[in-house]
Amino acid sequence: MSDSFRAILASDVEGKAVAQMTDMSVADLPTEGVLIDVAFSALNYKDGLALNGNLGKVMRSLPMIPGIDLSGTVLESPDSRFRPGDEVLVTGWGLSETEWGGFGQRARVKADFLTKIPGGLDLKRAMAIGTAGFTAMLSVMALDDHQVTKDQSPVLVTGAAGGVGSVAVAVLVANGYRVAASTGRAETHDYLKSLGAEEIIERAELAQAGRPLDKERWAGVVDTVGSQTLATALAQVVRHGSVAACGLAGGSDLPTTVLPFILRGVNLLGIDSVYCPAERRERAWQRLAAELPREKLDAMTEVIPFDALIERSKLILKGQVRGRTVVDLRA
Ligand code: NDP
C-alpha cells in the first residue's frame, strides 16, 4: 500500500492559520499509535470552527490534521487489542485539539482511543452517528439515569434539525419518550416529524426571556443551543425533571436564576463527549447500534466527497446543515 495520501492540513502560514488539502506521507504522521486506513469522517460544529479561521480556539498546536471523528480499517498496530483488518472508530479524545484528527486518508491514533465498530453498524453509519450522535446518546442516557418520565410531558430537543438534535429526537422516540422539537427553520418541520417529533416549537419562542419559573412543560430537555434558550427551558421543566446541556450553538452564556433548581429540584446535567470514560462510551455505542432506527439514520445523513468538505464546513457555522454530514475520504 502506498505511503502517500491526501489530507487537510492546518498550518501556520505567515502568522495566519490556514487549512488546505495537501499530499502527505505516512512518515509525516505522529509516530506512536495504531495506523488506520481512514474511510469516513464527519462534519461537526467544532470542525466548522477548525476549518474556518477559529483554528487556534480548537487546535492547540500547528501543523495538525483536524477532524474530530474518523472510521476506518487498522493497517498496523503495536497494541495486541487491535489487528490489521479490524474496523474501528474514534470520536473525541482530543482529536483536532491536542491529537491529529480524521481529515486525512491515513491516521495514527493511540490505541486507547479506538472503539471497535459495534455489530449492526458499518464504517459509514458509524460516522453518520459520529460525535454528534454519540453526544445525543450520552444526553439521553443522562435523562434515563435521572428517571425522566415518559408518559406525561414531552422531552424538548433544541437545535433539533442539527446533528445532535436529529439523533436525539430519533433515539428519544425509539425509547418511548414523547418529543417536542425546537427549530428555527420552517423547512425542517416535516423532517422532524418524520423522525418522530410530535410537536414543533419555534426557536424564537425559547430565545426570549420569560419568568424565572414558568409553566411546567417539559419532562426533560436535550439542549444544544445554550444561552437564553437553555435558561427559558430550565424555567419550564417539570418538578424533578432534568436537562442535559450539551451545546452552545446560540451562545455559551446562561442567564438564569437558581429558582428552577431550589424550588422545583430541576437537574442540570453537563454532557462531555470528548473525554467520556471508556465504559460509558462502550455502552453508548452499543445502545446506538441497537436503538437508532437505520432508516431514520440514513434519512438524516448526507454523504459528501472529501474535496467538498472545506466548502461545506462554512454552512455548519451558519446553522444551515440539516442532520449529519458524512465525509467519504475514498471518493
Ligand atoms: P449543528 O450545526 O448540526 O446543529 C446546531 C443547531 O442549532 C442548528 O442546526 C440549528 O438548529 C440550531 N442553531 C444554530 N444557530 C443557532 C442560534 N444562533 N440560536 C439558536 N439555535 C441555533 O451542530 P451539532 O449538532 O454538531 O452541534 C450542536 C451543538 O452541540 C454545538 O454547539 C456543538 O459545539 C455542541 N456539541 C457538544 C458536544 C459535547 O461534547 N458537549 C459534542 C458535539 C457537539 P435548528 O435549525 O433546528 O434551529
Side-chain angles (χ1 to χ4, degrees), residues 43-46 131-132 135 159-165 182-185 188 192 203 224-225 229 245-250 271-274 316 319 321 323-324:
L43 174 61
N44 296 275
Y45 190 84
K46 202 191 270 180
T131 284
T135 302
V164 177
S182 168
T183 182
R185 289 180 279 174
T188 65
L192 290 167
R203 181 199 291 180
T224 73
V225 172
T229 298
C246 63
L248 43 57
I271 305 299
D272 162 36
S273 67
V274 176
I316 201 163
V321 168
R324 295 284 296 145

PDB file of all heavy atoms in Angstrom, residues 43-46 131-132 135 159-165 182-185 188 192 203 224-225 229 245-250 271-274 316 319 321 323-324, ligand 1:
ATOM      1  N   LEU A  43     -18.692  15.848   9.525  1.00  0.00           N
ATOM      2  CA  LEU A  43     -18.612  17.298   9.745  1.00  0.00           C
ATOM      3  C   LEU A  43     -19.433  17.631  10.986  1.00  0.00           C
ATOM      4  O   LEU A  43     -20.649  17.454  10.994  1.00  0.00           O
ATOM      5  CB  LEU A  43     -19.167  18.045   8.528  1.00  0.00           C
ATOM      6  CG  LEU A  43     -19.288  19.564   8.666  1.00  0.00           C
ATOM      7  CD1 LEU A  43     -17.933  20.218   8.914  1.00  0.00           C
ATOM      8  CD2 LEU A  43     -19.947  20.155   7.418  1.00  0.00           C
ATOM      9  N   ASN A  44     -18.748  18.095  12.020  1.00  0.00           N
ATOM     10  CA  ASN A  44     -19.399  18.547  13.248  1.00  0.00           C
ATOM     11  C   ASN A  44     -19.193  20.048  13.383  1.00  0.00           C
ATOM     12  O   ASN A  44     -18.335  20.640  12.730  1.00  0.00           O
ATOM     13  CB  ASN A  44     -18.784  17.849  14.474  1.00  0.00           C
ATOM     14  CG  ASN A  44     -19.001  16.350  14.458  1.00  0.00           C
ATOM     15  OD1 ASN A  44     -20.030  15.860  14.891  1.00  0.00           O
ATOM     16  ND2 ASN A  44     -18.020  15.615  13.942  1.00  0.00           N
ATOM     17  N   TYR A  45     -19.956  20.639  14.296  1.00  0.00           N
ATOM     18  CA  TYR A  45     -19.860  22.088  14.525  1.00  0.00           C
ATOM     19  C   TYR A  45     -18.416  22.496  14.831  1.00  0.00           C
ATOM     20  O   TYR A  45     -17.898  23.481  14.297  1.00  0.00           O
ATOM     21  CB  TYR A  45     -20.794  22.453  15.682  1.00  0.00           C
ATOM     22  CG  TYR A  45     -20.994  23.934  15.886  1.00  0.00           C
ATOM     23  CD1 TYR A  45     -21.935  24.642  15.149  1.00  0.00           C
ATOM     24  CD2 TYR A  45     -20.239  24.623  16.828  1.00  0.00           C
ATOM     25  CE1 TYR A  45     -22.125  26.001  15.347  1.00  0.00           C
ATOM     26  CE2 TYR A  45     -20.426  25.985  17.028  1.00  0.00           C
ATOM     27  CZ  TYR A  45     -21.367  26.664  16.288  1.00  0.00           C
ATOM     28  OH  TYR A  45     -21.552  28.003  16.491  1.00  0.00           O
ATOM     29  N   LYS A  46     -17.759  21.699  15.667  1.00  0.00           N
ATOM     30  CA  LYS A  46     -16.381  22.040  16.054  1.00  0.00           C
ATOM     31  C   LYS A  46     -15.429  21.962  14.849  1.00  0.00           C
ATOM     32  O   LYS A  46     -14.457  22.720  14.762  1.00  0.00           O
ATOM     33  CB  LYS A  46     -15.913  21.070  17.158  1.00  0.00           C
ATOM     34  CG  LYS A  46     -14.763  21.616  17.982  1.00  0.00           C
ATOM     35  CD  LYS A  46     -14.155  20.544  18.867  1.00  0.00           C
ATOM     36  CE  LYS A  46     -14.795  20.465  20.213  1.00  0.00           C
ATOM     37  NZ  LYS A  46     -14.173  19.416  21.058  1.00  0.00           N
ATOM     38  N   THR A 131     -19.485  12.090  16.462  1.00  0.00           N
ATOM     39  CA  THR A 131     -19.528  12.800  17.751  1.00  0.00           C
ATOM     40  C   THR A 131     -20.926  13.335  18.055  1.00  0.00           C
ATOM     41  O   THR A 131     -21.386  13.250  19.198  1.00  0.00           O
ATOM     42  CB  THR A 131     -18.514  13.956  17.750  1.00  0.00           C
ATOM     43  OG1 THR A 131     -17.196  13.408  17.912  1.00  0.00           O
ATOM     44  CG2 THR A 131     -18.767  14.936  18.885  1.00  0.00           C
ATOM     45  N   ALA A 132     -21.614  13.851  17.036  1.00  0.00           N
ATOM     46  CA  ALA A 132     -22.939  14.434  17.289  1.00  0.00           C
ATOM     47  C   ALA A 132     -23.910  13.378  17.810  1.00  0.00           C
ATOM     48  O   ALA A 132     -24.596  13.590  18.817  1.00  0.00           O
ATOM     49  CB  ALA A 132     -23.473  15.080  16.013  1.00  0.00           C
ATOM     50  N   THR A 135     -22.993  12.170  21.253  1.00  0.00           N
ATOM     51  CA  THR A 135     -23.376  13.173  22.259  1.00  0.00           C
ATOM     52  C   THR A 135     -24.878  13.112  22.538  1.00  0.00           C
ATOM     53  O   THR A 135     -25.308  13.235  23.692  1.00  0.00           O
ATOM     54  CB  THR A 135     -22.986  14.577  21.751  1.00  0.00           C
ATOM     55  OG1 THR A 135     -21.578  14.575  21.494  1.00  0.00           O
ATOM     56  CG2 THR A 135     -23.328  15.669  22.754  1.00  0.00           C
ATOM     57  N   GLY A 159     -32.386  23.072  18.891  1.00  0.00           N
ATOM     58  CA  GLY A 159     -31.481  22.908  17.741  1.00  0.00           C
ATOM     59  C   GLY A 159     -31.748  21.567  17.084  1.00  0.00           C
ATOM     60  O   GLY A 159     -30.839  20.881  16.629  1.00  0.00           O
ATOM     61  N   ALA A 160     -33.060  21.226  17.008  1.00  0.00           N
ATOM     62  CA  ALA A 160     -33.446  19.840  16.707  1.00  0.00           C
ATOM     63  C   ALA A 160     -33.044  19.370  15.319  1.00  0.00           C
ATOM     64  O   ALA A 160     -32.809  18.185  15.115  1.00  0.00           O
ATOM     65  CB  ALA A 160     -34.948  19.677  16.906  1.00  0.00           C
ATOM     66  N   ALA A 161     -32.974  20.291  14.346  1.00  0.00           N
ATOM     67  CA  ALA A 161     -32.662  19.842  12.988  1.00  0.00           C
ATOM     68  C   ALA A 161     -31.159  19.688  12.744  1.00  0.00           C
ATOM     69  O   ALA A 161     -30.738  19.223  11.684  1.00  0.00           O
ATOM     70  CB  ALA A 161     -33.250  20.803  11.965  1.00  0.00           C
ATOM     71  N   GLY A 162     -30.325  20.055  13.720  1.00  0.00           N
ATOM     72  CA  GLY A 162     -28.880  19.856  13.597  1.00  0.00           C
ATOM     73  C   GLY A 162     -28.504  18.393  13.847  1.00  0.00           C
ATOM     74  O   GLY A 162     -29.370  17.529  14.003  1.00  0.00           O
ATOM     75  N   GLY A 163     -27.204  18.136  13.887  1.00  0.00           N
ATOM     76  CA  GLY A 163     -26.719  16.757  14.021  1.00  0.00           C
ATOM     77  C   GLY A 163     -27.069  16.134  15.361  1.00  0.00           C
ATOM     78  O   GLY A 163     -27.674  15.048  15.430  1.00  0.00           O
ATOM     79  N   VAL A 164     -26.696  16.800  16.453  1.00  0.00           N
ATOM     80  CA  VAL A 164     -27.008  16.270  17.790  1.00  0.00           C
ATOM     81  C   VAL A 164     -28.520  16.168  17.953  1.00  0.00           C
ATOM     82  O   VAL A 164     -29.057  15.146  18.399  1.00  0.00           O
ATOM     83  CB  VAL A 164     -26.421  17.172  18.904  1.00  0.00           C
ATOM     84  CG1 VAL A 164     -26.819  16.650  20.275  1.00  0.00           C
ATOM     85  CG2 VAL A 164     -24.895  17.264  18.795  1.00  0.00           C
ATOM     86  N   GLY A 165     -29.222  17.246  17.555  1.00  0.00           N
ATOM     87  CA  GLY A 165     -30.670  17.296  17.742  1.00  0.00           C
ATOM     88  C   GLY A 165     -31.390  16.189  16.998  1.00  0.00           C
ATOM     89  O   GLY A 165     -32.271  15.524  17.563  1.00  0.00           O
ATOM     90  N   SER A 182     -37.551  21.795  18.863  1.00  0.00           N
ATOM     91  CA  SER A 182     -37.459  23.232  18.620  1.00  0.00           C
ATOM     92  C   SER A 182     -36.498  23.508  17.475  1.00  0.00           C
ATOM     93  O   SER A 182     -35.364  23.013  17.470  1.00  0.00           O
ATOM     94  CB  SER A 182     -36.969  23.937  19.887  1.00  0.00           C
ATOM     95  OG  SER A 182     -36.617  25.265  19.564  1.00  0.00           O
ATOM     96  N   THR A 183     -36.965  24.302  16.509  1.00  0.00           N
ATOM     97  CA  THR A 183     -36.133  24.633  15.360  1.00  0.00           C
ATOM     98  C   THR A 183     -36.410  26.061  14.900  1.00  0.00           C
ATOM     99  O   THR A 183     -37.500  26.588  15.120  1.00  0.00           O
ATOM    100  CB  THR A 183     -36.389  23.661  14.184  1.00  0.00           C
ATOM    101  OG1 THR A 183     -35.521  24.006  13.099  1.00  0.00           O
ATOM    102  CG2 THR A 183     -37.836  23.727  13.690  1.00  0.00           C
ATOM    103  N   GLY A 184     -35.415  26.660  14.247  1.00  0.00           N
ATOM    104  CA  GLY A 184     -35.598  27.986  13.668  1.00  0.00           C
ATOM    105  C   GLY A 184     -35.845  27.907  12.176  1.00  0.00           C
ATOM    106  O   GLY A 184     -35.941  28.936  11.506  1.00  0.00           O
ATOM    107  N   ARG A 185     -35.929  26.679  11.634  1.00  0.00           N
ATOM    108  CA  ARG A 185     -36.069  26.521  10.179  1.00  0.00           C
ATOM    109  C   ARG A 185     -37.399  25.847   9.841  1.00  0.00           C
ATOM    110  O   ARG A 185     -37.564  24.644  10.058  1.00  0.00           O
ATOM    111  CB  ARG A 185     -34.917  25.680   9.622  1.00  0.00           C
ATOM    112  CG  ARG A 185     -33.579  26.404   9.626  1.00  0.00           C
ATOM    113  CD  ARG A 185     -32.479  25.535   9.062  1.00  0.00           C
ATOM    114  NE  ARG A 185     -31.944  24.588  10.040  1.00  0.00           N
ATOM    115  CZ  ARG A 185     -31.053  23.657   9.753  1.00  0.00           C
ATOM    116  NH1 ARG A 185     -30.597  23.539   8.518  1.00  0.00           N
ATOM    117  NH2 ARG A 185     -30.603  22.844  10.696  1.00  0.00           N
ATOM    118  N   THR A 188     -37.739  22.501   7.992  1.00  0.00           N
ATOM    119  CA  THR A 188     -37.374  21.211   8.611  1.00  0.00           C
ATOM    120  C   THR A 188     -38.536  20.589   9.401  1.00  0.00           C
ATOM    121  O   THR A 188     -38.368  19.526   9.995  1.00  0.00           O
ATOM    122  CB  THR A 188     -36.161  21.368   9.560  1.00  0.00           C
ATOM    123  OG1 THR A 188     -36.545  22.213  10.665  1.00  0.00           O
ATOM    124  CG2 THR A 188     -34.955  21.963   8.874  1.00  0.00           C
ATOM    125  N   LEU A 192     -38.526  16.799  10.878  1.00  0.00           N
ATOM    126  CA  LEU A 192     -38.530  16.493  12.325  1.00  0.00           C
ATOM    127  C   LEU A 192     -39.716  15.601  12.685  1.00  0.00           C
ATOM    128  O   LEU A 192     -39.590  14.699  13.520  1.00  0.00           O
ATOM    129  CB  LEU A 192     -38.532  17.797  13.133  1.00  0.00           C
ATOM    130  CG  LEU A 192     -37.210  18.566  13.043  1.00  0.00           C
ATOM    131  CD1 LEU A 192     -37.350  19.985  13.579  1.00  0.00           C
ATOM    132  CD2 LEU A 192     -36.101  17.829  13.799  1.00  0.00           C
ATOM    133  N   ARG A 203     -38.058  28.302  17.386  1.00  0.00           N
ATOM    134  CA  ARG A 203     -36.831  28.700  18.079  1.00  0.00           C
ATOM    135  C   ARG A 203     -37.006  30.036  18.816  1.00  0.00           C
ATOM    136  O   ARG A 203     -36.578  30.213  19.954  1.00  0.00           O
ATOM    137  CB  ARG A 203     -35.696  28.823  17.060  1.00  0.00           C
ATOM    138  CG  ARG A 203     -34.367  29.198  17.673  1.00  0.00           C
ATOM    139  CD  ARG A 203     -33.387  29.748  16.640  1.00  0.00           C
ATOM    140  NE  ARG A 203     -32.930  28.729  15.716  1.00  0.00           N
ATOM    141  CZ  ARG A 203     -32.067  28.990  14.722  1.00  0.00           C
ATOM    142  NH1 ARG A 203     -31.592  30.209  14.545  1.00  0.00           N
ATOM    143  NH2 ARG A 203     -31.681  28.030  13.908  1.00  0.00           N
ATOM    144  N   THR A 224     -28.965  21.842  22.793  1.00  0.00           N
ATOM    145  CA  THR A 224     -27.735  22.028  22.011  1.00  0.00           C
ATOM    146  C   THR A 224     -27.446  23.510  21.785  1.00  0.00           C
ATOM    147  O   THR A 224     -26.498  23.846  21.094  1.00  0.00           O
ATOM    148  CB  THR A 224     -27.851  21.340  20.627  1.00  0.00           C
ATOM    149  OG1 THR A 224     -28.732  22.107  19.796  1.00  0.00           O
ATOM    150  CG2 THR A 224     -28.361  19.924  20.729  1.00  0.00           C
ATOM    151  N   VAL A 225     -28.273  24.394  22.351  1.00  0.00           N
ATOM    152  CA  VAL A 225     -28.220  25.818  21.989  1.00  0.00           C
ATOM    153  C   VAL A 225     -27.592  26.700  23.071  1.00  0.00           C
ATOM    154  O   VAL A 225     -26.850  27.623  22.784  1.00  0.00           O
ATOM    155  CB  VAL A 225     -29.646  26.310  21.619  1.00  0.00           C
ATOM    156  CG1 VAL A 225     -29.671  27.823  21.423  1.00  0.00           C
ATOM    157  CG2 VAL A 225     -30.133  25.616  20.357  1.00  0.00           C
ATOM    158  N   THR A 229     -31.977  30.327  25.434  1.00  0.00           N
ATOM    159  CA  THR A 229     -32.809  29.145  25.139  1.00  0.00           C
ATOM    160  C   THR A 229     -32.740  28.150  26.287  1.00  0.00           C
ATOM    161  O   THR A 229     -33.762  27.609  26.733  1.00  0.00           O
ATOM    162  CB  THR A 229     -32.321  28.487  23.827  1.00  0.00           C
ATOM    163  OG1 THR A 229     -32.496  29.428  22.783  1.00  0.00           O
ATOM    164  CG2 THR A 229     -33.070  27.208  23.511  1.00  0.00           C
ATOM    165  N   ALA A 245     -27.378  19.482  29.157  1.00  0.00           N
ATOM    166  CA  ALA A 245     -26.817  20.635  28.442  1.00  0.00           C
ATOM    167  C   ALA A 245     -25.594  20.171  27.671  1.00  0.00           C
ATOM    168  O   ALA A 245     -24.580  19.805  28.269  1.00  0.00           O
ATOM    169  CB  ALA A 245     -26.438  21.729  29.444  1.00  0.00           C
ATOM    170  N   CYS A 246     -25.689  20.166  26.331  1.00  0.00           N
ATOM    171  CA  CYS A 246     -24.550  19.647  25.563  1.00  0.00           C
ATOM    172  C   CYS A 246     -24.013  20.624  24.540  1.00  0.00           C
ATOM    173  O   CYS A 246     -22.967  20.356  23.958  1.00  0.00           O
ATOM    174  CB  CYS A 246     -24.904  18.316  24.912  1.00  0.00           C
ATOM    175  SG  CYS A 246     -26.221  18.425  23.718  1.00  0.00           S
ATOM    176  N   GLY A 247     -24.682  21.770  24.293  1.00  0.00           N
ATOM    177  CA  GLY A 247     -24.194  22.603  23.187  1.00  0.00           C
ATOM    178  C   GLY A 247     -24.275  24.095  23.445  1.00  0.00           C
ATOM    179  O   GLY A 247     -24.820  24.543  24.464  1.00  0.00           O
ATOM    180  N   LEU A 248     -23.736  24.851  22.502  1.00  0.00           N
ATOM    181  CA  LEU A 248     -23.694  26.319  22.618  1.00  0.00           C
ATOM    182  C   LEU A 248     -23.926  26.992  21.278  1.00  0.00           C
ATOM    183  O   LEU A 248     -23.391  28.061  21.006  1.00  0.00           O
ATOM    184  CB  LEU A 248     -22.356  26.757  23.243  1.00  0.00           C
ATOM    185  CG  LEU A 248     -21.052  26.102  22.798  1.00  0.00           C
ATOM    186  CD1 LEU A 248     -20.800  26.217  21.312  1.00  0.00           C
ATOM    187  CD2 LEU A 248     -19.894  26.636  23.570  1.00  0.00           C
ATOM    188  N   ALA A 249     -24.760  26.350  20.426  1.00  0.00           N
ATOM    189  CA  ALA A 249     -24.986  26.904  19.078  1.00  0.00           C
ATOM    190  C   ALA A 249     -25.540  28.325  19.142  1.00  0.00           C
ATOM    191  O   ALA A 249     -25.355  29.109  18.220  1.00  0.00           O
ATOM    192  CB  ALA A 249     -25.922  25.995  18.282  1.00  0.00           C
ATOM    193  N   GLY A 250     -26.218  28.679  20.243  1.00  0.00           N
ATOM    194  CA  GLY A 250     -26.769  30.030  20.373  1.00  0.00           C
ATOM    195  C   GLY A 250     -25.970  30.914  21.320  1.00  0.00           C
ATOM    196  O   GLY A 250     -26.301  32.081  21.501  1.00  0.00           O
ATOM    197  N   ILE A 271     -22.905  17.479  29.655  1.00  0.00           N
ATOM    198  CA  ILE A 271     -22.525  16.367  28.767  1.00  0.00           C
ATOM    199  C   ILE A 271     -21.195  16.698  28.100  1.00  0.00           C
ATOM    200  O   ILE A 271     -21.084  17.701  27.392  1.00  0.00           O
ATOM    201  CB  ILE A 271     -23.598  16.152  27.667  1.00  0.00           C
ATOM    202  CG1 ILE A 271     -24.984  15.944  28.278  1.00  0.00           C
ATOM    203  CG2 ILE A 271     -23.200  14.986  26.757  1.00  0.00           C
ATOM    204  CD1 ILE A 271     -25.131  14.744  29.181  1.00  0.00           C
ATOM    205  N   ASP A 272     -20.197  15.838  28.323  1.00  0.00           N
ATOM    206  CA  ASP A 272     -18.887  15.986  27.674  1.00  0.00           C
ATOM    207  C   ASP A 272     -18.606  14.716  26.886  1.00  0.00           C
ATOM    208  O   ASP A 272     -18.354  13.670  27.476  1.00  0.00           O
ATOM    209  CB  ASP A 272     -17.796  16.217  28.729  1.00  0.00           C
ATOM    210  CG  ASP A 272     -16.412  15.945  28.172  1.00  0.00           C
ATOM    211  OD1 ASP A 272     -16.184  16.243  26.981  1.00  0.00           O
ATOM    212  OD2 ASP A 272     -15.562  15.418  28.917  1.00  0.00           O
ATOM    213  N   SER A 273     -18.663  14.823  25.567  1.00  0.00           N
ATOM    214  CA  SER A 273     -18.429  13.619  24.751  1.00  0.00           C
ATOM    215  C   SER A 273     -16.946  13.346  24.541  1.00  0.00           C
ATOM    216  O   SER A 273     -16.557  12.218  24.244  1.00  0.00           O
ATOM    217  CB  SER A 273     -19.106  13.776  23.392  1.00  0.00           C
ATOM    218  OG  SER A 273     -18.472  14.799  22.642  1.00  0.00           O
ATOM    219  N   VAL A 274     -16.115  14.399  24.674  1.00  0.00           N
ATOM    220  CA  VAL A 274     -14.710  14.257  24.265  1.00  0.00           C
ATOM    221  C   VAL A 274     -13.955  13.280  25.181  1.00  0.00           C
ATOM    222  O   VAL A 274     -13.297  12.358  24.713  1.00  0.00           O
ATOM    223  CB  VAL A 274     -14.015  15.635  24.245  1.00  0.00           C
ATOM    224  CG1 VAL A 274     -12.533  15.484  23.909  1.00  0.00           C
ATOM    225  CG2 VAL A 274     -14.679  16.543  23.225  1.00  0.00           C
ATOM    226  N   ILE A 316     -22.103  24.908   8.289  1.00  0.00           N
ATOM    227  CA  ILE A 316     -22.490  24.436   9.622  1.00  0.00           C
ATOM    228  C   ILE A 316     -22.394  25.570  10.641  1.00  0.00           C
ATOM    229  O   ILE A 316     -23.165  25.629  11.598  1.00  0.00           O
ATOM    230  CB  ILE A 316     -21.684  23.176  10.054  1.00  0.00           C
ATOM    231  CG1 ILE A 316     -22.461  22.424  11.159  1.00  0.00           C
ATOM    232  CG2 ILE A 316     -20.263  23.507  10.521  1.00  0.00           C
ATOM    233  CD1 ILE A 316     -22.035  20.998  11.394  1.00  0.00           C
ATOM    234  N   GLY A 319     -25.552  27.445  10.822  1.00  0.00           N
ATOM    235  CA  GLY A 319     -26.748  26.690  11.222  1.00  0.00           C
ATOM    236  C   GLY A 319     -27.553  26.215  10.031  1.00  0.00           C
ATOM    237  O   GLY A 319     -28.756  26.022  10.119  1.00  0.00           O
ATOM    238  N   VAL A 321     -26.807  23.388   8.099  1.00  0.00           N
ATOM    239  CA  VAL A 321     -26.661  21.973   7.765  1.00  0.00           C
ATOM    240  C   VAL A 321     -27.772  21.209   8.473  1.00  0.00           C
ATOM    241  O   VAL A 321     -28.008  21.408   9.658  1.00  0.00           O
ATOM    242  CB  VAL A 321     -25.275  21.456   8.196  1.00  0.00           C
ATOM    243  CG1 VAL A 321     -25.216  19.948   8.118  1.00  0.00           C
ATOM    244  CG2 VAL A 321     -24.187  22.069   7.320  1.00  0.00           C
ATOM    245  N   GLY A 323     -29.249  17.686   9.869  1.00  0.00           N
ATOM    246  CA  GLY A 323     -28.861  16.324  10.230  1.00  0.00           C
ATOM    247  C   GLY A 323     -27.357  16.145  10.202  1.00  0.00           C
ATOM    248  O   GLY A 323     -26.602  17.026  10.614  1.00  0.00           O
ATOM    249  N   ARG A 324     -26.905  15.021   9.635  1.00  0.00           N
ATOM    250  CA  ARG A 324     -25.495  14.657   9.696  1.00  0.00           C
ATOM    251  C   ARG A 324     -24.853  14.657   8.319  1.00  0.00           C
ATOM    252  O   ARG A 324     -25.459  14.258   7.328  1.00  0.00           O
ATOM    253  CB  ARG A 324     -25.366  13.256  10.311  1.00  0.00           C
ATOM    254  CG  ARG A 324     -25.812  13.225  11.747  1.00  0.00           C
ATOM    255  CD  ARG A 324     -24.774  13.852  12.662  1.00  0.00           C
ATOM    256  NE  ARG A 324     -23.538  13.083  12.642  1.00  0.00           N
ATOM    257  CZ  ARG A 324     -22.324  13.639  12.744  1.00  0.00           C
ATOM    258  NH1 ARG A 324     -22.181  14.948  12.831  1.00  0.00           N
ATOM    259  NH2 ARG A 324     -21.250  12.864  12.737  1.00  0.00           N
TER     260      ARG A 324
HETATM  261  P1  NDP B   1     -25.325  21.620  14.076  1.00  0.00           P
HETATM  262  O1  NDP B   1     -24.894  22.885  13.448  1.00  0.00           O
HETATM  263  O2  NDP B   1     -25.573  20.432  13.225  1.00  0.00           O
HETATM  264  O3  NDP B   1     -26.677  21.896  14.908  1.00  0.00           O
HETATM  265  C1  NDP B   1     -26.872  23.048  15.675  1.00  0.00           C
HETATM  266  C2  NDP B   1     -28.315  23.512  15.505  1.00  0.00           C
HETATM  267  O4  NDP B   1     -28.566  24.566  16.451  1.00  0.00           O
HETATM  268  C3  NDP B   1     -28.619  24.114  14.159  1.00  0.00           C
HETATM  269  O5  NDP B   1     -28.919  23.144  13.187  1.00  0.00           O
HETATM  270  C4  NDP B   1     -29.821  24.960  14.481  1.00  0.00           C
HETATM  271  O6  NDP B   1     -30.932  24.102  14.590  1.00  0.00           O
HETATM  272  C5  NDP B   1     -29.510  25.471  15.889  1.00  0.00           C
HETATM  273  N1  NDP B   1     -28.898  26.798  15.879  1.00  0.00           N
HETATM  274  C6  NDP B   1     -27.864  27.244  15.139  1.00  0.00           C
HETATM  275  N2  NDP B   1     -27.571  28.524  15.426  1.00  0.00           N
HETATM  276  C7  NDP B   1     -28.438  28.905  16.389  1.00  0.00           C
HETATM  277  C8  NDP B   1     -28.656  30.111  17.104  1.00  0.00           C
HETATM  278  N3  NDP B   1     -27.902  31.206  16.878  1.00  0.00           N
HETATM  279  N4  NDP B   1     -29.644  30.145  18.021  1.00  0.00           N
HETATM  280  C9  NDP B   1     -30.395  29.057  18.260  1.00  0.00           C
HETATM  281  N5  NDP B   1     -30.255  27.880  17.599  1.00  0.00           N
HETATM  282  C10 NDP B   1     -29.285  27.818  16.683  1.00  0.00           C
HETATM  283  O7  NDP B   1     -24.261  21.279  15.204  1.00  0.00           O
HETATM  284  P2  NDP B   1     -24.093  19.919  16.046  1.00  0.00           P
HETATM  285  O8  NDP B   1     -25.419  19.264  16.166  1.00  0.00           O
HETATM  286  O9  NDP B   1     -22.926  19.175  15.542  1.00  0.00           O
HETATM  287  O10 NDP B   1     -23.685  20.540  17.472  1.00  0.00           O
HETATM  288  C11 NDP B   1     -24.675  21.223  18.240  1.00  0.00           C
HETATM  289  C12 NDP B   1     -24.002  21.893  19.425  1.00  0.00           C
HETATM  290  O11 NDP B   1     -23.541  20.883  20.317  1.00  0.00           O
HETATM  291  C13 NDP B   1     -22.792  22.745  19.091  1.00  0.00           C
HETATM  292  O12 NDP B   1     -22.788  23.886  19.909  1.00  0.00           O
HETATM  293  C14 NDP B   1     -21.622  21.848  19.422  1.00  0.00           C
HETATM  294  O13 NDP B   1     -20.475  22.580  19.743  1.00  0.00           O
HETATM  295  C15 NDP B   1     -22.164  21.090  20.612  1.00  0.00           C
HETATM  296  N6  NDP B   1     -21.544  19.783  20.817  1.00  0.00           N
HETATM  297  C16 NDP B   1     -21.124  19.467  22.082  1.00  0.00           C
HETATM  298  C17 NDP B   1     -20.583  18.257  22.338  1.00  0.00           C
HETATM  299  C18 NDP B   1     -20.213  17.898  23.732  1.00  0.00           C
HETATM  300  O14 NDP B   1     -19.400  17.004  23.951  1.00  0.00           O
HETATM  301  N7  NDP B   1     -20.809  18.532  24.719  1.00  0.00           N
HETATM  302  C19 NDP B   1     -20.324  17.286  21.262  1.00  0.00           C
HETATM  303  C20 NDP B   1     -20.911  17.663  19.987  1.00  0.00           C
HETATM  304  C21 NDP B   1     -21.473  18.899  19.777  1.00  0.00           C
HETATM  305  P3  NDP B   1     -32.390  24.487  14.019  1.00  0.00           P
HETATM  306  O15 NDP B   1     -32.173  24.945  12.623  1.00  0.00           O
HETATM  307  O16 NDP B   1     -33.184  23.243  14.136  1.00  0.00           O
HETATM  308  O17 NDP B   1     -32.908  25.595  14.895  1.00  0.00           O
END
